[in-house]
Amino acid sequence: MKENTKSTWAFLLAAVFTLTLSLQAQAAGKVYKLGLSLAITGPTSDAGNPYAKGVEDYFNFVNDTKMLGDDKIDCVIRDDQYNNDITKRNFEDFISQGIVFYLNYSTGSTLALKKDFEEEKMPVLPASFHAGNLTDSNYIFLPIASYSAQAIGLAEYIVKTHQGGVPKVALFIHPSAFGRGPVEDLQKAVTAGLKMEIVEVVEHGKDLDNTAMLQRLLSKGVQYVISQTVQSPVATMLKDASSLGLTAKTFGEAGKLTFLGCHYTGGNDLVALAGPAAESFYWTTSYIVTNEPSAGATAQLDLAKKYNRDDKAANSHNYANGMMVAQVATELIKRAKAKGKEINKANLYEELLAMNGDKAFSPGTTVGPVTFSKTDHAGVDTLQLYMVKDGAFKSTGTPFVPTFTTKIK
């Protein structure tokens, strides 16, 4: 009898203990696993480092402010050193951990893992805006307008603003799929009626002296150079042009070169690298800049301050870039939760496809709304043109959507 009483009490205590654990687990909420693999060190880490901080800070903000109630986001961020093999290993490990959404980084790894994303049916937002990422893909979504759309937007501005005849343009590109991506689409736009001449496509190498190249372009009548690469080679080119006295003081100045570039060519890092030679550089992106007051700029700076980031990170357009993809991922989870859906990759993918019309998302860190659908996998279609004036990027004109991007489809 005594032994039976002991057994009964042991059973009751175990039941109470189990129930308590269960209630504590429910009170603690659910944890949604996400993954991000990117170059925090190595090539392009000047962009990847602030990008990672933007992602980390925004998800911390989501958890600290209970934006999802008692539920939390656990986004594992790993450095892949811009190495596709490491990215693949990271992705496979994230899959084994049960992630519901994936954030990727480079053009090379996004192209290399495209089939993996299809097999896993994993929705992906990369930091690469390469239009080719979307070819034969159902699960990759570009956060903003593609590099092709950005280059076409710059070309349209040249054609609209140029005085006298057909403008002659050179392309200064990174020797990779990332750099070459917009070339064919620009040529298609010219064929479709964009009245400009592409005189030469220059793939920059390791030669740090652009003197011969710049003089050759001028001898061919080139007045405009559109860059699709990263900031360092652009800064070197701008310094060389400035030292030779070849930089246009006004847009399209005859006998001089006007320089323009896509997202990863510009920002505060370019000004820091090129110094006064960056003056009058034209740049386009879909992100706001903190040099100009806006609700988005205030939110970006406040977030960076809350998590003790330095001024360089706080004012980086790539901090905004990382912050924005975290905002989109969070919004998808919020919308799925509001509908009572389970938070899994299939339901978040469904919410991505529904993010359009009156369901468009305005994160504040971009110059236009984020929209996706089954046939539209580029988030923010709107671009803003900026120009360096007195050492800072300032808006030129109002946000716009390039028209030839639809004409070449």
Side-chain angles (χ1 to χ4, degrees):
M1 183 66 184
K2 192 173 182 180
E3 285 301 317
N4 287 339
T5 302
K6 283 183 178 179
S7 298
T8 301
W9 275 108
F11 174 78
L12 289 172
L13 284 171
V16 169
F17 182 68
T18 302
L19 179 62
T20 302
L21 283 179
S22 176
L23 291 172
Q24 286 176 342
Q26 288 180 28
K30 298 177 181 177
V31 176
Y32 309 123
K33 299 280 289 188
L34 278 68
L36 164 61
S37 179
L38 80 170
I40 301 175
T41 62
T44 77
S45 58
D46 52 344
N49 193 294
Y51 187 98
K53 290 172 179 171
V55 171
E56 180 182 4
D57 290 353
Y58 191 77
F59 284 139
N60 282 336
F61 180 72
V62 169
N63 294 337
D64 292 345
T65 61
K66 292 189 174 294
M67 197 179 294
L68 298 175
D70 289 326
D71 296 351
K72 292 185 181 297
I73 292 175
D74 177 14
C75 183
V76 179
I77 300 175
R78 287 191 182 160
D79 182 11
D80 60 25
Q81 302 164 33
Y82 207 64
N83 182 318
N84 293 350
D85 292 336
I86 299 176
T87 310
K88 183 174 175 61
R89 288 199 295 273
N90 286 343
F91 177 67
E92 290 171 347
D93 190 46
F94 292 150
I95 289 294
S96 71
Q97 295 182 36
I99 61 169
V100 295
F101 201 84
Y102 178 57
L103 304 173
N104 201 52
Y105 182 69
S106 69
T107 297
S109 63
T110 304
L111 293 172
L113 293 175
K114 188 184 293 187
K115 288 185 178 177
D116 298 75
F117 302 151
E118 290 293 308
E119 289 173 2
E120 295 294 338
K121 297 183 178 180
M122 177 60 67
V124 179
L125 282 175
S128 164
F129 314 137
H130 176 49
N133 291 339
L134 305 182
T135 304
D136 299 326
S137 171
N138 293 298
Y139 294 93
I140 299 172
F141 297 80
L142 309 185
I144 66 169
S146 68
Y147 302 130
S148 293
Q150 295 170 29
I152 289 171
L154 292 172
E156 288 180 0
Y157 184 77
I158 291 171
V159 171
K160 183 177 70 175
T161 313
H162 177 71
Q163 299 292 317
V166 176
K168 293 188 175 183
V169 177
L171 307 180
F172 182 73
I173 64 171
H174 193 274
S176 66
F178 156 72
R180 298 182 189 112
V183 175
E184 184 178 349
D185 286 331
L186 271 171
Q187 291 167 335
K188 286 180 181 176
V190 172
T191 302
L194 184 61
K195 295 186 181 307
M196 73 172 199
E197 179 183 353
I198 301 174
V199 176
E200 185 172 336
V201 178
V202 179
E203 291 194 6
H204 62 73
K206 296 181 180 178
D207 187 356
L208 298 180
D209 184 3
N210 296 296
T211 301
M213 181 267 290
L214 292 167
Q215 291 176 333
R216 183 178 70 250
L217 295 180
L218 270 179
S219 72
K220 293 181 177 180
V222 170
Q223 282 182 260
Y224 306 95
V225 179
I226 296 176
S227 297
Q228 163 52 12
T229 179
V230 293
Q231 294 147 335
S232 298
V234 174
T236 303
M237 178 174 64
L238 295 180
K239 286 181 177 178
D240 290 341
S242 179
S243 64
L244 292 168
L246 302 181
T247 307
K249 300 298 181 188
T250 57
F251 192 88
E253 180 183 359
K256 304 288 185 181
L257 294 168
T258 297
F259 296 95
L260 312 91
C262 302
H263 176 89
Y264 285 107
T265 65
N268 292 337
D269 286 345
L270 178 71
V271 176
L273 289 169
E279 286 292 305
S280 300
F281 179 78
Y282 288 78
W283 172 58
T284 195
T285 181
S286 297
Y287 292 99
I288 61 162
V289 293
T290 54
N291 299 321
E292 299 179 329
S294 70
T298 300
Q300 179 179 333
L301 294 172
D302 286 350
L303 184 74
K305 183 178 180 181
K306 180 177 176 66
Y307 295 102
N308 300 314
R309 302 303 185 187
D310 59 24
D311 287 345
K312 183 179 179 182
N315 289 284
S316 169
H317 63 292
N318 287 316
Y319 183 85
N321 197 355
M323 186 178 159
M324 178 266 198
V325 294
Q327 288 176 296
V328 172
T330 304
E331 181 67 16
L332 296 174
I333 293 172
K334 285 173 64 178
R335 291 183 181 192
K337 276 172 59 77
K339 294 175 183 175
K341 293 180 177 178
E342 181 184 353
I343 304 304
N344 55 38
K345 58 188 179 183
N347 286 335
L348 296 186
Y349 177 66
E350 192 174 87
E351 290 302 320
L352 260 176
L353 297 181
M355 190 173 270
N356 55 69
D358 62 355
K359 301 292 190 300
F361 175 51
S362 297
T365 40
T366 60
V367 297
V370 182
T371 60
F372 293 114
S373 71
K374 190 173 183 179
T375 57
D376 173 18
H377 281 214
V380 182
D381 299 326
T382 312
L383 295 168
Q384 175 64 54
L385 186 67
Y386 298 99
M387 182 190 73
V388 179
K389 186 176 182 181
D390 299 327
F393 277 100
K394 304 288 176 59
S395 293
T396 295
T398 55
F400 66 99
V401 177
T403 59
F404 273 85
T405 51
T406 54
K407 293 180 181 179
I408 65 172
K409 285 183 178 177

